[in-house]
Amino acid sequence: MMKTITFPKQNFVSWLMSGLLACALLMLTPGQARAADVAPDVLVKTTTQEVISILKKDKEIQSGNLQKVYALVDAKVLPNFDFNHMTMLSVGKYWQRATPAQRQALIQEFRTLLVRTYASSLTEFTNQTIEFKPFNMAAGATDVTVQTQVKQPGGQPIPIDYSMEKTAFGWKVYDVAIDGVSLVTNYRGSFATEIRQSGIDGLIRTLANRNKQSSAAPSKAATHKAS
């Protein structure tokens, strides 16, 4: 069985608010993305504010409409992640053994996994606040870290760092570290275990099955209606 990767529930919510979602750059077309003169920290802040604004206004999301949350994540955030790079880093040394078809399947399933795993936490956003740390970027830098901190009532601040790279299509996120724990490194361990046990195709099947199960799970809104 594939090792389950978990974080405390509050960490999931904070991660989504400040970063995996909110940090993940504005939804840009390839033409717009070439305006990469906009600093990464500005993109993080702008998108954070946009996503939080949507969450506060959208009653369907607040009531737990996961399909609408998926659409929000898919439209506003994920197109601006470098999923090729993220998946390659998460699969690690086994990436070189994968065929082109297997690589494409891994990228697609990993992308879906992130949407399905974290989107449900968006419905639980309440009154967390985001602090943006001072950011300095060297001239000509192509790889930077944007640091933020999530503050929540009654809890310790949660530091979240975003590894970002400058590509031909603008700045992209390729890793997120929450409280010092890297998303890529965390998944790499569980992916390696699954590949050793069942091969690359086994990992693809496991991810696909998990995504199907997540898709079939009832939303909070549906649960409330049923009760």
Side-chain angles (χ1 to χ4, degrees):
M1 180 178 294
M2 184 175 178
K3 176 184 174 184
T4 301
I5 300 171
T6 60
F7 290 96
K9 191 173 186 180
Q10 286 185 325
N11 282 28
F12 271 156
V13 176
S14 299
W15 184 355
L16 289 169
M17 293 312 96
S18 68
L20 235 190
L21 303 182
C23 141
L25 312 184
L26 297 171
M27 185 180 179
L28 305 174
T29 64
Q32 291 172 314
R34 293 192 184 92
D37 294 338
V38 179
D41 60 322
V42 175
L43 292 174
V44 170
K45 186 173 183 177
T46 303
T47 309
T48 299
Q49 293 170 339
E50 180 183 4
V51 172
I52 289 176
S53 177
I54 293 173
L55 292 174
K56 288 182 176 180
K57 294 177 182 178
D58 196 308
K59 300 302 182 184
E60 289 186 62
I61 289 178
Q62 293 173 14
S63 68
N65 186 330
L66 286 180
Q67 293 306 315
K68 195 160 187 180
V69 180
Y70 294 156
L72 172 63
V73 174
D74 202 55
K76 294 292 183 182
V77 179
L78 297 187
N80 299 294
F81 274 75
D82 188 342
F83 275 98
N84 286 36
H85 195 179
M86 289 183 73
T87 309
M88 179 182 71
L89 292 175
S90 297
V91 175
K93 65 182 180 181
Y94 299 102
W95 184 256
Q96 297 302 322
R97 305 181 190 179
T99 66
Q102 287 175 324
R103 291 180 180 181
Q104 189 58 43
L106 285 167
I107 292 168
Q108 181 58 47
E109 296 298 343
F110 188 42
R111 186 182 192 279
T112 303
L113 174 67
L114 293 181
V115 176
R116 299 290 168 82
T117 300
Y118 304 115
S120 60
S121 296
L122 278 171
T123 63
E124 300 177 27
F125 175 74
T126 53
N127 52 0
Q128 293 89 349
T129 59
I130 314 301
E131 177 181 304
F132 303 93
K133 297 297 184 179
F135 177 78
N136 294 302
M137 182 172 65
T142 58
D143 195 308
V144 301
T145 300
V146 176
Q147 296 179 315
T148 67
Q149 191 174 69
V150 178
K151 295 185 175 181
Q152 48 193 358
Q156 291 295 316
I158 302 172
I160 303 181
D161 298 340
Y162 306 95
S163 297
M164 303 174 69
E165 60 184 350
K166 191 174 184 179
T167 73
F169 301 105
W171 288 95
K172 302 279 187 177
V173 176
Y174 68 88
D175 195 13
V176 182
I178 307 171
D179 238 351
V181 179
S182 159
L183 166 75
V184 163
T185 300
N186 212 9
Y187 273 112
R188 185 184 297 147
S190 65
F191 285 5
T193 298
E194 182 69 19
I195 291 173
R196 286 194 297 269
Q197 294 175 351
S198 306
I200 294 173
D201 285 335
L203 173 60
I204 294 170
R205 285 193 299 270
T206 297
L207 293 175
N209 289 336
R210 181 178 296 180
N211 290 333
K212 288 178 182 177
Q213 291 171 3
S214 177
S215 178
S219 68
K220 185 168 67 176
T223 302
H224 285 175
K225 187 176 294 186
S227 60

